[in-house]
Amino acid sequence: MKISNYLVKPGTKISLSKFSTKDTSGIKSKEDAKEFLEKNIEKMIELQDKLYASDKYSLLLVFQAMDAAGKDSIIKHVMSGLNPQGTQVYSFKQPSKEELDHGFMWRIQKAVPERGRIGIFNRSHYEEVLVVKVHNLLKYQQIPSEFIDNKIWQNRYEHISDFEKYLYENGTVVLKFFLHVSKDEQKERFLARIDDKTKNWKFSAADVEERKLWNEYQSAYEEAITATSKKFAPWYIIPADKKWFARLLVSEIIVETLKKLDLQYPKLTDEQLAELQKCKENLMNE
Ligand code: ATP
Ligand code: MG
């Protein structure tokens, strides 16, 4: 599987309709994908252990998608098996009054993973150039009116990229995933949520209202992804009609990225090694 096929190359203008939602990179069955995913989870467990022990880098995974694209289930499956002490998941909902009394990055900053950890954002700062743009929510944000002009989105993309560059240069590796689901598949999943009692809780009538704004959202995503896919914080467009493939691809991207960091367990000095030997002798002589 070539992960670069799913990478949005910095500086290229994307059109989501040109990206497949159904691609499975030649993998034929759910069973095969599951097997590969399990292998990747093993590798992730090992890499996470080194990430934690070396305490230098952190990894931030950002998940954005239309409703029912499978964010929750990807987070659940891909992160299963990882050490819970080294992971943290944040779900960003509509901002609170206190959050709205600050700039949009305030609540995000506080949720960035500390060194050694893997942080997961279920929705993120990108909502500020997606839902806020599509629904024209700026008027509720109390931003002084002189800053609300026709450059505000461009300015926000720049704020986001500056922030992500800052994270990168301080040891946080940022990966961003757009789970790309088709409009037909979304409909199927909504219907399943209505028909299946165990899935009713996942359905909200508001999701159907949002679906009416499908094209507006797709355009907002295209513009935001085009403006913010950078070498230091790349976007990947994940075909998500087949959940089993989306899970596998995300795991593959995580493993390849962590491998490139060349993580090592901390090396002990000669003095520390001698100290260990002394402790061993003491224990043996008890
Ligand atoms: P999800 O839809 O992510 O699975 P959920 O169904 O549990 O989560 P929702 O009530 O749908 O919960 O919460 C997410 C909602 O919050 C979305 O509609 C999202 O667009 C909105 N939201 C997130 N961040 C912002 C923001 N910065 N400004 C306005 N709305 C936001
Ligand atoms: Mg929702």
Side-chain angles (χ1 to χ4, degrees), residues 207-223:
D207 293 349
V208 175
E209 287 305 305
E210 290 303 276
R211 178 177 164 83
K212 292 182 186 155
L213 296 167
W214 182 274
N215 291 339
E216 286 79 355
Y217 270 108
Q218 297 283 301
S219 306
Y221 268 111
E222 284 170 352
E223 209 181 291

Side-chain angles (χ1 to χ4, degrees), residues 67 71-72 92-95 107 122-124 127-128 131-132 137 141 207 217:
D67 287 309
K71 282 186 280 111
D72 291 8
F92 292 97
K93 311 278 180 191
Q94 287 177 10
R107 64 173 182 167
N122 183 347
R123 301 184 187 271
S124 65
E127 292 292 320
E128 296 292 335
V131 65
V132 174
L137 302 177
Q141 294 199 346
D207 293 349
Y217 270 108

Side-chain angles (χ1 to χ4, degrees), residues 275-286:
E275 174 79 20
L276 281 188
Q277 279 312 313
K278 227 164 124 195
C279 290
K280 186 174 173 185
E281 273 165 36
N282 286 343
L283 285 167
M284 303 294 277
N285 293 332
E286 261 178 13

Side-chain angles (χ1 to χ4, degrees), residues 14-65:
I14 60 148
S15 162
L16 283 173
S17 61
K18 300 219 173 78
F19 286 79
S20 169
T21 57
K22 295 180 175 52
D23 177 34
T24 61
S25 189
I27 296 165
K28 299 242 160 32
S29 72
K30 194 174 174 170
E31 286 64 40
D32 287 351
K34 233 175 146 177
E35 214 173 284
F36 295 136
L37 174 62
E38 269 159 30
K39 285 196 185 124
N40 276 347
I41 289 175
E42 298 274 301
K43 289 181 204 160
M44 262 193 273
I45 290 172
E46 206 184 305
L47 288 160
Q48 183 198 18
D49 204 45
K50 287 185 180 165
L51 183 80
Y52 195 84
S54 54
D55 202 23
K56 290 218 158 28
Y57 293 102
S58 61
L59 177 65
L60 173 60
L61 309 171
V62 172
F63 290 92
Q64 285 288 158

Side-chain angles (χ1 to χ4, degrees), residues 23 59 78-79 85 91 134 159 163 205 211 218 231 234 245 278:
D23 177 34
L59 177 65
V78 175
M79 299 303 140
Q85 291 207 77
S91 296
V134 169
H159 298 154
F163 170 67
R211 178 177 164 83
Q218 297 283 301
K231 198 155 179 270
F245 179 68
K278 227 164 124 195

